Amino acid sequence: MVILGIDPGLAHTGWGIVETRGSECRARAYGCITTTADEPIDMRLGRIYNQIIDVIDKFSPEALSIESIYFGQNVKSAIPTAHARGAAIVACSKAGLTVGEYTPMQIKQAVVGTGAADKQQVMYMVQNILCLDHQPHPDHAADALAAAVCHANLVRTTSLGKGRIQL
């Protein structure tokens, strides 16, 4: 299964492509879509949408795993993040991808083993789980790969629970 993970943000939207075969999980590609505050919102969202479409066209994922919005103390950042998240989801919907949504805590739990993990721990575990020879950067791309790994784990666990192994 090929999974597109997305860590949404208006300034930085991380993306990562993970391919699974049985219990093996490998990164195929990752990156970050960057927009700047001096650009109009429609242009920023259009860039996110178009670049996600390009990633989908290039790697043909079957599923999307996207981080849900968490804004903690900073409510002001939630709306721009929601806009970016919406642009990414619409691009994936247009391509017919199934969608899995996970909280940051669920993703950290799936990758590190604790929902309280910090960014360095997530990057370290993503590197090890995906057998990369380096830590993925920027951290938005690492978070996107982590989201994809989280979805892969859930799909595999669900398949095992139903008595069949996802290949």
Side-chain angles (χ1 to χ4, degrees):
M1 170 181 266
V2 179
I3 303 165
L4 168 60
I6 294 180
D7 176 34
L10 189 57
H12 304 283
T13 293
W15 61 269
I17 298 288
V18 167
E19 184 171 4
T20 63
R21 293 178 196 259
S23 62
E24 187 175 298
C25 202
R26 295 287 182 260
R28 291 185 59 195
Y30 60 87
C32 190
I33 303 162
T34 303
T35 69
T36 59
D38 62 342
E39 296 173 275
I41 187 77
D42 60 321
M43 300 302 289
R44 296 174 82 180
L45 296 174
R47 179 175 306 130
I48 292 166
Y49 174 88
N50 289 328
Q51 289 189 20
I52 294 295
I53 289 289
D54 291 345
V55 169
I56 291 168
D57 288 346
K58 184 171 183 177
F59 297 102
S60 303
E62 302 160 56
L64 164 67
S65 177
I66 191 163
E67 189 173 296
S68 61
I69 295 173
Y70 173 78
F71 50 87
Q73 303 279 343
N74 192 358
V75 177
K76 191 174 182 179
S77 69
I79 293 173
T81 300
H83 289 324
R85 189 171 181 276
I89 290 173
V90 169
C92 293
S93 174
K94 184 175 180 182
L97 277 62
T98 60
V99 178
E101 299 178 84
Y102 305 97
T103 66
M105 286 184 73
Q106 287 174 308
I107 294 169
K108 291 174 184 179
Q109 178 72 38
V111 174
V112 180
T114 175
D118 64 29
K119 290 232 178 251
Q120 277 303 111
Q121 291 171 308
V122 172
M123 288 192 297
Y124 175 81
M125 288 306 297
V126 165
Q127 176 186 359
N128 284 293
I129 291 167
L130 298 176
C131 299
L132 297 170
D133 61 1
H134 59 281
Q135 286 189 354
H137 289 285
D139 59 349
H140 304 287
D143 289 347
L145 288 168
V149 168
C150 176
H151 187 73
N153 288 347
L154 181 68
V155 168
R156 184 168 190 281
T157 302
T158 302
S159 295
L160 290 172
K162 292 180 180 174
R164 62 182 190 273
I165 296 175
Q166 181 77 21
L167 300 176

